[in-house]
Amino acid sequence: MRKDIIRNVLAGGCLLLALLSGGCSLPKAERTARQFLKAYYVDLDFDRALELSTEDSHQGIYYKKNMTSLSPYAKDEVPELNVLEVIIDPDDGNYAYCAYELNGYPRMLPLQKHDGKWLVDTDSDAIEGMGSSSMTGVSEIGFASAASSETLPTTGPGQRAREAREREATGRK
């Protein structure tokens, strides 16, 4: 009886350790991406967007905040936002990207793990470009191997992200 209790406690501990050691990383990266995109595009809550991003991203967020403050109608325009998929770099689990569509246009959002916490990680020029119709080059920032078409599976996970990248490259919706 005592051996069964010890065995069950050890099995439960191993399961818990496996979950904590990375099994939950994708949901955390996806949650960060969704929270950032909602704050940045929908709520125009730039203070929240700053909390969810690296320092390298802050200049672009401040730019958007200043530009938005000049428009009295900024809050009236609610964009159509659709998160397609979040993929963690298979070569380096500290980098990920989020494929999403904004008003029907495909986009990429890079993320990086800092001190165990996922943050949006892009330079200010790329974030400033998030309001435009093109984000060419953003997918290469920080996660080149994960963003390349060669590393994404041809079916299943990654397919929608690849299609979004291909549409972005050709300028189609």
Side-chain angles (χ1 to χ4, degrees):
M1 171 106 176
R2 186 174 179 179
K3 286 183 180 182
D4 290 337
I5 293 172
I6 293 172
R7 190 176 312 141
N8 289 339
V9 169
L10 288 176
C14 289
L15 179 61
L16 182 61
L17 182 61
L19 286 173
L20 294 176
S21 68
C24 298
S25 190
L26 181 60
K28 289 179 182 179
E30 183 173 348
R31 183 176 37 242
T32 298
R34 286 181 183 278
Q35 289 174 352
F36 176 85
L37 292 169
K38 184 177 184 295
Y40 189 83
Y41 287 118
V42 179
D43 299 338
L44 302 179
D45 182 355
F46 300 108
D47 293 331
R48 179 69 176 138
L50 288 166
E51 292 172 8
L52 296 166
S53 62
T54 62
E55 283 191 37
D56 291 340
S57 306
H58 289 180
Q59 183 178 355
I61 296 169
Y62 285 125
Y63 174 81
K64 173 82 172 188
K65 181 178 182 176
N66 291 335
M67 295 305 290
T68 302
S69 69
L70 297 175
S71 172
Y73 305 107
K75 293 228 178 211
D76 296 338
E77 300 172 14
V78 179
E80 181 184 332
L81 182 63
N82 184 23
V83 174
L84 301 174
E85 190 166 22
V86 176
I87 297 177
I88 295 178
D89 187 327
D91 298 329
D92 184 347
N94 290 318
Y95 295 94
Y97 72 96
C98 172
Y100 69 101
E101 289 181 340
L102 180 67
N103 295 328
Y105 291 97
R107 309 287 177 100
M108 293 289 179
L109 182 69
L111 294 106
Q112 184 176 13
K113 198 180 282 187
H114 285 269
D115 297 325
K117 181 178 178 183
W118 284 104
L119 298 172
V120 170
D121 183 40
T122 186
D123 65 23
S124 61
D125 293 335
I127 280 201
E128 289 172 23
M130 288 173 67
S132 69
S133 63
S134 173
M135 284 185 63
T136 306
V138 173
S139 61
E140 284 77 33
I141 298 171
F143 51 84
S145 63
S148 70
S149 295
E150 295 78 36
T151 62
L152 296 174
T154 56
T155 59
Q159 177 64 25
R160 290 184 299 179
R162 178 186 299 91
E163 290 170 355
R165 286 190 55 233
E166 290 171 357
R167 285 194 306 268
E168 180 181 15
T170 60
R172 295 181 290 134
K173 279 190 173 185

